[in-house]
Amino acid sequence: MGSTADKVSGIANQAAGKVKQAAGKATGSRQMEAQGAAQEAKGRVQKAVGDAKAAVKAGANKAAKATGKQL
């Protein structure tokens, strides 16, 4: 996946996880609450991976530009 796709997936998983957690609290389902927390955590990791990929790409492009080469 590219950095943008990772970020979008991460944000979507975070949102879905928060909804599951809220639904779990509302219905008293600890299992659903735990699943929501896990999905939200997965989303945070995905977003962080996307951010890291974007930073690496930006750094590589900056270095390439400084040396006059294109990636």
Side-chain angles (χ1 to χ4, degrees), residues 54-71:
V56 167
K57 185 176 180 181
N61 285 335
K62 187 175 181 180
K65 186 176 180 181
T67 61
K69 296 181 181 178
Q70 285 198 318
L71 295 178

